[in-house]
Amino acid sequence: MTVLPDDGLSLAAEFPDATHEQWQRLVEGVLRKSGKEASGEAAEDALSTQLEDGLTTRPLYTARETGANANGDTGANAATADAAGFPGFAPFTRGGRPEGTSVSGWDVRQRLAGTDPVRVNEAALADLENGTTSLWLTVGRTGIPADGLARALDGVYLDLAPVTLDAGADYAEAARALLALYAEREVAPEAARASLGADPLGHEARTGEVLDLAEAAALARETAGAWPHVRALTVDALPYHEAGGSAAEELGLSLATGVAYLRALEDGGLGVEAALGQLEFRYAATADQFLTIAKLRAARRLWARVAEACGAPEAGAQRQHAVTSPVMMTRRDPWVNMLRTTVACMAAGVGGADSVTVLPFDNELGLPDAFARRIARNTSTILLEESHLARVIDPAGGSYYVEQLTTELAGAAWEFFQTVEKAGGLPGALRSGMVAERLATTWAARSKKLAKRREPITGVSEFPLLSEKPVVREPGPAGPTGGLPRVRRDEAYEALRARSDAHLTATGHRPRVFLAALGPAAAHTARATFASNLFQAGGIEPVHDPVSVDPASAAEAYAASGADGMAVLCSSDALYEEQAGAVAAALRSAGATTLFLAGKPGTAEGSVDEYVFAGCDAVAVLSSVLDRMGVAS
């Protein structure tokens, strides 16, 4: 136990120590006022949030969750400060280097997608002149040709700017083209820093095409002997994240990939330490900042355990490349993606990623323009230079919440990793369909939350703007297909909005629904706002004019609205009881064929047809409404 000096600032010395049980009793009182009866742990559970992978976020974390006592001493059964170790030392939870990113910040790695070496070169030089510190190039079938690599890197100081390749099945040709370019430009082997991007299993996950691991092992053996700071293989977990996988599944499959590569490298003649040095890991960073922080910390801990089992614990520092999640990016209101990627970048930096790629906000619309690329690289620059985020080594370390979440996530990931290993390792699990089935199940559960808006998407499922001017970009090269699917959080709503767009093009107006608001603004504003947001999420234009109606004015207002047979009653429960029946009759007389009520199911029963409420399946409701309006799918 560390004894702190008496500095005369014992501000809480005159107050009695508060216990966890006292806090729980206060929670019980708050729940009681809201009509819920619960006590003790049950009261705390009522404020907890269930996450994927069987994880739970609790409302309060204290020393007892991590096994530490009030003085900071650690228990034997938890992953606490002792288990987390120190930065730069096994198990590397707190970072792969003792200094973390405090010296120069994380590597700002910009992705360059495109097939024209000249245009890629222009973008690369602009990026490097304005804050980017390394380049991530797509080469081969979906990018620049391998023989165009020299042109794409013309004017780039290869001894200063690290290069990462993403070449899919063409990784060997691309790698040798880059190594030849180093030799041609007389870059000293010890000065060259690159990741050659060989990832046969990642390519198989994306395309279903099986590649020989022996060829990747041969490349790694060649690299290890001649290029001390060049890594031949990439363990890319993005295919699993983009297929709908959870954080634990992403981690578990990355471990299985890494272990498969270690076996192949050992069979290819590399020692364990040399083999470990040939791998770089790539993970998704999302706007769930704490989960991202915990995921990167857990990834290092888990890989250190693998290295320990291989007999090389000190060589188990995982090299990490974090990429802001494509799954979270939206095509509607893409400007909001700037906020999502900022939070994700912050989480990646705090989580200890060595390199961070911020995808431009218009990434899902095609080739990003110069403005979008500038915002992407400046996101890291602001966090590093103005927010000083990298000046603290492992800033999340010691947080009871982060430490516990790291431990629980690591446990869930390790359990899934063992399941994959029992299925024959990652090659066997991929080819048997086990991985695809598991990820599909996870995504199906998440899709239900998205459909019910339990997981909101700002600008899409919440607060959409139908009058938004579309952002148009030049189409980018098609990505690899044939393997695991690529999902997006906005996909169900995007399909609804596409139907609305087609209707707008064909008729000159969007499908419309009339909001029949009853009584004063104080009575109907909350539910009218709810209904307006809900229907706009499906591309349905709400008409709220006049501000309120009554039985005498409802029919005329509906007729003037241009609504396509649909109306929604919006008000308080008390006014529903007084006016819903008469207003509903007036609306039907004016041609309304389907009446919704914004509120609890069963309210004004017999007067309305359906209900919309918080937690309803918005996608199903909106799809049904568009069908009834005759909007083509």
Side-chain angles (χ1 to χ4, degrees), residues 67 88 150 158 194 239 250 258 372 406 494 557 592 603:
L158 295 178
E250 185 184 347
T406 299
E494 179 63 25
T603 305

Side-chain angles (χ1 to χ4, degrees), residues 299-487:
R300 292 192 294 271
R301 180 185 298 181
L302 290 167
W303 190 241
R305 186 172 179 182
V306 170
E308 182 181 15
C310 293
E314 298 308 315
Q318 187 183 79
R319 184 76 181 179
Q320 291 181 336
H321 173 203
V323 182
T324 57
S325 165
V327 176
M328 72 178 179
M329 306 285 269
T330 63
R331 287 158 280 192
R332 307 283 173 165
D333 202 359
W335 315 100
V336 182
N337 290 332
M338 296 185 199
L339 305 178
R340 297 186 179 102
T341 54
T342 297
V343 176
C345 180
M346 183 209 71
V350 171
D354 300 286
S355 303
V356 179
T357 294
V358 175
L359 296 178
F361 73 88
D362 55 358
N363 187 71
E364 297 307 302
L365 300 173
L367 287 176
D369 66 5
F371 172 73
R373 298 180 63 79
R374 177 174 177 243
I375 294 298
R377 61 180 179 256
N378 281 353
T379 300
S380 279
T381 301
I382 288 173
L383 293 174
L384 288 168
E385 304 297 336
E386 296 188 27
S387 298
H388 309 301
L389 202 62
R391 290 192 181 182
V392 178
I393 301 171
D394 187 27
S399 160
Y400 293 141
Y401 173 40
V402 172
E403 297 291 3
Q404 186 66 13
L405 186 58
T406 299
T407 297
E408 293 177 0
L409 183 56
W414 187 261
E415 182 178 351
F416 181 53
F417 162 64
Q418 291 177 315
T419 301
V420 173
E421 286 295 287
K422 291 175 183 177
L426 186 61
L430 277 174
R431 293 160 199 169
S432 69
M434 187 271 269
V435 170
E437 183 179 349
R438 171 72 178 249
L439 300 185
T441 300
T442 299
W443 180 246
R446 189 176 178 192
S447 294
K448 291 180 180 179
K449 295 180 181 177
L450 290 163
K452 294 184 176 183
R453 304 196 298 175
R454 298 296 190 192
E455 182 180 334
I457 311 172
T458 304
V460 176
S461 68
E462 298 285 351
F463 311 111
L465 182 63
L466 291 187
S467 60
E468 168 200 356
K469 185 178 180 180
V471 177
V472 179
R473 292 289 183 265
E474 177 185 348
T481 58
L484 296 174
R486 290 193 178 197
V487 301

Side-chain angles (χ1 to χ4, degrees), residues 4 9 52 133 143 163 172 223 225 280 282 284 370 390 402 446 478 505 535 586:
L4 298 178
L9 292 176
E52 290 178 320
T133 55
V163 175
T223 302
E280 178 175 89
R282 183 176 296 140
V402 172
R446 189 176 178 192
T505 300
F535 284 96

Side-chain angles (χ1 to χ4, degrees), residues 140-176:
R141 303 173 194 177
T142 60
I144 58 175
D147 59 10
L149 198 57
R151 180 63 185 90
L153 294 174
D154 187 28
V156 175
Y157 294 103
L158 295 178
D159 54 343
L160 299 177
V163 175
T164 293
L165 301 180
D166 185 356
D170 303 319
Y171 68 84
E173 181 185 4
R176 291 191 166 85

